Amino acid sequence: MLRRNVRLRKEYLYRKNLEGNEREIYEKKRKIREALQEGKPIPTELRNEEAKLRQEIDLEDQNTAVPRSHIDDEYANATEKEPKILLTTSRDPSAPLTRFVKELNIVFPNASKLNRGSQVISEIIETARSHDFTDVIFVSENRGKPDGLIISHLPFGPTAYFQLLNVVTRHEIQTKKEMGKMSEQYPHLIFERFTTQACIFMGKRVMNILKHIFPVPKLDAKRIVTFSNESDYISFRNHVYDKGEGGPKSIELKEIGPRFELRLYQVKLGTLEQDEAEVEWVLRPYMNTAKKRKFLGE
Amino acid sequence: MAAVKDSGFEALEKLKSTEPPVFLAPSSISEVARAASQYLFTKLKPHNPKSPFDELLVDGFDAEQIWQQIDMQSQPLLSSLRHEVKRFAKSPKEIRKIGDLAVEASHEGDVDEMDMDDDNDVEDDDDELEADESEGEEEEEDGEEEEEDEEEEEEEEENEGIEDKFFKIKDLEDFLEEGEAQEYGTDYKNKKGLSKGKNQNLSDDDYDEEDEEDEDEDEEDEEFGAFAGDDNEDADNLGKARYEDFFGGKKKETKRTMKDVIEDEEAGDGNQATEKLSTHEKELLKLQSKIEQMEKANLDPKHWTMQGEVTATKRPKNSALEVDLDFEHNARPPPVITEEVTASLEDMIKSRIIEARFDDVQRAPSLPTKSKREAKELDDSKSKKGLAEVYEEEYVQKSNPAFAPATFSDELKKEASMLFKKLCLKLDALSHFHFTPKPVIEEMSIQTNVPAIAMEEVAPVAVSDAAMLAPEEIFAGTGKIKDESELTQEERKRRRAKKKRKFKAESANHPVKKARDTNTEIHNTGTFFTLDI
């Protein structure tokens, strides 16, 4: 297991190294492809390599056409399996926290809840790995209000630490009778304004982390989960929609499920129990320019 | 009459004792003021034969009317008094002659003067206050108007109807009169004789001096936007300034100053006639008071907010709650979820639904685990091999893999296998320490379709570094090796000579040598391969 991890890490570093070259080649191929499609002459700088690249273009398939980046290599194979989630809390959870976790259980399809008891985190993650879970989600609280969320992707994937704000649970809103049952369909996902692509990449990264908690939905699914980013605060909303009476353009949205704001403060490149893992990104709120910088995109 | 007199006197006393600010606000003091003014009126009546009123009518009359009554009584009184004073100034002896009359008169005069003094005091106080203020003429004029207002309010409750806190008819009249005075000369104003008693001179003087100061301080006041109106007026006045405006008529000025001096002495005021100070002196006074204040502040212990790091014990209890502690927050505050925010979010969601633009997880196209079934083309032509030959080949393949004939039919397969062989070569290079490249012999077409395991050579996967030799140890020398047959005669001689020298050297060190068995030495021969990743 250790050696396997060591090997995988070496592979990762190697592939990260190659990325620059790969990107160049990809760019050249793209130019040639464009030139061929439009019927224009191939640019002069590519004339030498043109024949070889042409051959490669012909042999390309869907997987190889897109240049892979080292980021999200952990999620390279994630789409082949359906995600399986394990939900736990911090130790000694209060009643509101357990209720919140119950709600999250329903929100994430294919999730199961685990009572924390007195288990150690490393044990939990070991068992999760052996039972083929893809993600583990920890929720922590402060005096009844849930205030922390940790999403750890399992094989050896990244761990994202979020701060929860403005949490409104379903229990708070209505009595049990009015709540009714929540739809447990696989939802459609909406991600708004996760745009940073430049040197930081955090926008796309967080989007991937959150995306791969959910499975592939059906095309006509009526449930929608929204993550909307506004100056580094991500709003989570859970809606069910119906076509309204006023024709195809009118939609009736009904909000179900809890609503909260997430604020990312750390992304680590290992799982939760590896505290010595490398920190991919950490929030620095006391820097003098902290007000001006936005990490997750506009 | 006595009762009235007493009550009037009490009223006066009361008036005298009240604080000036009380006059500014409408209060019960107006009743007292009315009583006092009535009393004074009756007092002055004997001296004024021409007075049309027997007593001051105050019930149901407003300030304007009462004022007019007083005016009508005191105008002729003023002129007669002036006349009297001039007479006394010329001939001081006459004062003694009057004697009792004077005493009596002086009693009432005292009362009058007290009244006047009061007014004077009030006015002087006001003036002093005005003088002390550091702003320009606007405030002094305001002060003047304020003091007019005060006196009006002393007499009467607020005039409703036309007048309110922004507009007073009295002020308007005074303003107009000031304007006229400035246009036509201050004599005009004096001739008009406003009903302020002797104080009018004072106020005129005030005005004159204020005018002077107006013009002086005009430039200073240009900055004050609020006073723009006045500035304009002053600008106009500047053009029409005359000598008289600044310095007055020479005689009158001196007379006035004499009168002022007398009045001040009579007033018994210790104020030193602050309106006589020049601008410079006033400024000096201000500066001095400021300096005193600042020095005092410096000596006192500082307020806790100015003391640098202050713990809770060093400041008064709960004082941090009162102070507006302001510091720059570097982190953006968390968003407050309002109705609008939710509404905008929902709109965005709706538009996305309509467009059907979701960011779902895309199922990746899975790699084909099974290769496409080769559509085997069935050859229609007759097989060239006979059936017996087919069976023969099969049998040979089963029993003896090495000697089976080639079974590759397709060119593509050949090509694929070539590529794969190359790949395997590279992979082997990465994973074996001893590496012997398998020579790809292309001429010989003996290729047996045999499972790879049988062909694979078992090689040592990992061998310790220690046994390896460095390249120099394996072969030392340059690459130019010549076979013996290639050597020329000189070359051969050279070689022999070298050999002999070596032998001699060795035999010198070790005279007795055992015959070495070179066969027992084990040389590690292996090509050394460096891996570049």
Side-chain angles (χ1 to χ4, degrees), chain B residues 81 104 118 124 157-158 186 192 201 219 226 229 236 239 252 257 274 284 362 400 428-429 433 446 453 463 469 498 532:
Chain B
L81 279 173
E104 269 187 37
D118 287 344
D124 279 340
E157 299 143 350
E158 60 271 69
T186 46
K192 266 203 137 191
N201 290 338
E219 287 98 54
D236 288 340
K252 283 175 191 167
T257 52
T274 49
L284 269 182
Q362 303 289 344
N400 213 341
D428 290 342
F433 273 119
I446 298 171
I453 282 178
V463 170
L469 285 177
K498 195 175 174 187
D532 288 306

Side-chain angles (χ1 to χ4, degrees), chain B residues 93 166 205 416 419 477:
Chain B
K93 295 171 193 173
F166 295 116
D205 284 341
L419 287 170

Side-chain angles (χ1 to χ4, degrees), chain B residues 433-446:
Chain B
F433 273 119
H434 281 293
F435 180 67
T436 317
K438 230 184 190 131
V440 179
I441 307 162
E442 288 184 14
E443 310 94 63
M444 297 188 67
S445 55
I446 298 171

Side-chain angles (χ1 to χ4, degrees), chain B residues 303-305 307 310-322:
Chain B
H303 190 239
W304 68 268
T305 47
Q307 271 178 12
V310 175
T311 57
T313 45
K314 294 199 181 113
R315 55 180 164 84
K317 195 173 180 185
N318 288 339
S319 53
L321 293 172
E322 290 135 28

Side-chain angles (χ1 to χ4, degrees), chain A residues 3-19 70 73 77 156:
Chain A
R3 270 203 282 175
R4 179 165 147 231
N5 284 340
V6 167
R7 172 171 59 87
L8 288 171
R9 235 174 272 159
K10 278 192 185 166
E11 264 183 34
Y12 162 78
L13 287 170
Y14 172 63
R15 221 157 326 134
K16 195 169 164 187
N17 229 0
L18 280 190
E19 222 174 278
H70 71 282
D73 264 345
N77 304 321
F156 10 80

